[in-house]
Every structure is written in structure tokens, then in C-alpha cells.
Amino acid sequence: MTKKRQAKSMPAGLLVDTVHFLSFQRAEARRREEPEVYAEFHFMTGIKSDMSKAIIMPGLGIVPSPVMREALRIVQADAA
């Protein structure tokens, strides 16, 4: 499946919700002046989503790996 076809098949609402969730996590880490906390979360979530077909996120439920990987690309971690 090509990236364009894959992106079109993603549930748009779930992608938006996932991006919002990740943005909140990053903002909270910045507010606490601990950007490394979100960086570690970003890294580990990326590994988990690469190793499975879906990932369970609190408040979001089951998020398919392609949706999570796209959300992680959108909400980048701060450089450590």
C-alpha cells in the first residue's frame, strides 16, 4: 500500500485526537521544564507502534500503528 493510499485510509478523527493527545503531553513536559520526559515517551511509543499492529493509549483506546506513527511525525519531540 502506498503512503498516499495509506494516509487516505486512516480515520481522520482518530488522527486528530491522537495529535491532540501528543501535543498535550509535549506541552505538559515543556511546562514542567522536562522535555526529556516527552522525548522518552515519543521514542518508546514509536518503537511500540513499529513492533505491533496497534497500540493502546489511555483516553484514546486502540490506535492503529500507522495512525500513531503519523501523529508522532506531526508532533515531534524537542531535541535533547
Side-chain angles (χ1 to χ4, degrees):
M1 183 180 300
T2 65
K3 286 191 177 188
K4 282 185 179 181
R5 185 176 290 158
Q6 185 179 18
K8 287 181 181 179
S9 67
M10 284 187 201
L14 184 57
L15 179 61
V16 170
D17 290 345
T18 306
V19 167
H20 183 265
F21 176 80
L22 294 175
S23 296
F24 175 78
Q25 295 296 319
R26 182 177 63 183
E28 188 64 20
R30 286 177 176 171
R31 185 186 68 77
R32 293 181 179 181
E33 297 180 0
E34 297 175 338
E36 67 279 0
V37 172
Y38 178 74
E40 182 179 340
F41 170 79
H42 188 275
F43 179 73
M44 295 306 294
T45 304
I47 289 173
K48 289 177 187 175
S49 64
D50 283 345
M51 294 174 62
S52 61
K53 292 183 181 183
I55 187 167
I56 298 173
M57 297 299 292
L60 294 174
I62 298 172
V63 179
S65 290
V67 173
M68 182 55 75
R69 284 194 297 271
E70 184 63 26
L72 289 170
R73 281 188 201 100
I74 293 169
V75 185
Q76 294 289 316
D78 296 329

